[in-house]
Amino acid sequence: RYLAQAFLDLARLVDALEAVETVAQAAAHTDIPGLAEALAQVSAARDAIDHDTMMEDIPAAIEDTLAGIDQVSCLAQAVKRLSHPGGALAPLDVNAALRRAVMVSRPAWKCHAEMAMEPTEELPDIRGEEGPLIQALTNLIVNAGQAIATHTSAGELGRIVLRTRSIRHGAWVEIEVDDDGPGIPADIQPRIFERFYTTKAPGQGTGQGLAVVWSVIVERHGGTVHVEPAPDGGTRFLVRLPVAGPR
């Protein structure tokens, strides 16, 4: 941000010098010692640094850098929230937790899927543990990204859609995770939340991801998690959390 402000100050100085140069060029016919040589040096220096391009490119480069720094900052904050051990229940913004899960899980889906978020903004806070909830949501998103990766060809992108809504007269919050991957066969759906159960090849899956989702959502938060076919042929996970916290 200092560089951005400093460049604006330098740009104003350059503008002022160019105004002086214009006046000097108008007076170049007068007998001022060294004036013609000075103007020639200014013109040569401008050509040497490609002045016009630089004045456009440097602000754009600084803007890109600031955007990258903001992304790194958001990721660091998301990882910090994720690593928090939790403990006591506290008011929790589900939409914020979901955005942090998207940020943390980005490496797992960015090359395979487009991400769409359709949150309900007027969503009540729930009583919960932020770190474990971010972990559970991260696992669901990673699971969707991995499923899409096995289903799309090189260069093709699938789609993950995340939605939130208030249900049951505001007593519960629902989170929907849709993907357009290959879907989950009906015969294995009853087992997907079992610890150590995995359909991945040896060395590629531990059977822990969805088991953690069940533990966090059902056992720690008193919620429910349900899987069903998505309308586009993929998979839909529905997570429901009581606003008042677990009973």
Side-chain angles (χ1 to χ4, degrees):
R1 297 186 189 283
Y2 165 75
L3 289 176
Q5 184 58 51
F7 181 79
L8 289 177
D9 293 340
L10 288 173
R12 284 193 286 269
L13 175 60
V14 170
D15 289 342
L17 291 174
E18 287 181 336
V20 172
E21 181 188 13
T22 300
V23 174
Q25 287 174 339
H29 62 281
T30 60
D31 188 15
I32 301 177
L35 177 59
E37 292 80 2
L39 289 174
Q41 290 178 2
V42 170
S43 179
R46 182 188 293 108
D47 294 341
I49 64 173
D50 195 3
H51 168 267
D52 293 340
T53 301
M54 186 177 67
M55 295 299 285
E56 294 179 1
D57 289 352
I58 289 180
I62 291 175
E63 184 177 349
D64 288 346
T65 303
L66 288 173
I69 290 171
D70 287 342
Q71 288 186 346
V72 172
S73 176
C74 290
L75 177 58
Q77 291 296 323
V79 171
K80 181 180 178 182
R81 299 272 188 165
L82 173 62
S83 63
H84 193 280
L89 299 177
L92 195 161
D93 183 338
V94 170
N95 286 334
L98 191 58
R99 284 190 288 269
R100 293 185 178 108
V102 169
M103 180 68 68
V104 172
S105 64
R106 180 176 171 80
W109 55 261
K110 66 177 182 178
C111 296
H112 310 293
E114 296 176 335
M115 178 68 67
M117 292 192 65
E118 300 175 5
T120 298
E121 296 301 336
E122 298 299 325
L123 204 64
D125 288 352
I126 68 166
R127 286 184 56 78
E129 301 176 63
E130 185 175 42
L133 182 60
I134 293 174
Q135 179 66 72
L137 297 175
T138 298
N139 288 4
L140 286 176
I141 297 170
V142 168
N143 196 67
Q146 292 174 342
I148 290 173
T150 67
H151 189 58
T152 55
S153 303
E156 293 182 350
L157 291 178
R159 183 173 172 83
I160 301 173
V161 182
L162 308 177
R163 301 181 179 92
T164 59
R165 61 180 66 90
S166 179
I167 62 172
R168 300 181 187 177
H169 305 289
W172 291 67
V173 167
E174 183 175 75
I175 306 166
E176 182 180 315
V177 181
D178 281 12
D179 69 68
D180 60 357
I184 301 176
D187 59 326
I188 69 170
Q189 287 185 16
R191 299 196 61 190
I192 61 173
F193 297 107
E194 292 180 14
R195 195 169 296 275
F196 306 120
Y197 178 78
T198 180
T199 60
K200 295 183 176 68
Q204 296 184 7
T206 63
Q208 297 292 314
L210 292 179
V212 169
V213 172
W214 181 272
S215 175
V216 170
I217 300 302
V218 179
E219 298 173 3
R220 298 182 69 163
H221 285 84
T224 66
V225 56
H226 175 69
V227 61
E228 62 185 30
D232 54 12
T235 302
R236 169 177 292 169
F237 281 90
L238 292 172
V239 172
R240 291 168 180 163
L241 297 162
V243 170
R247 295 181 179 178

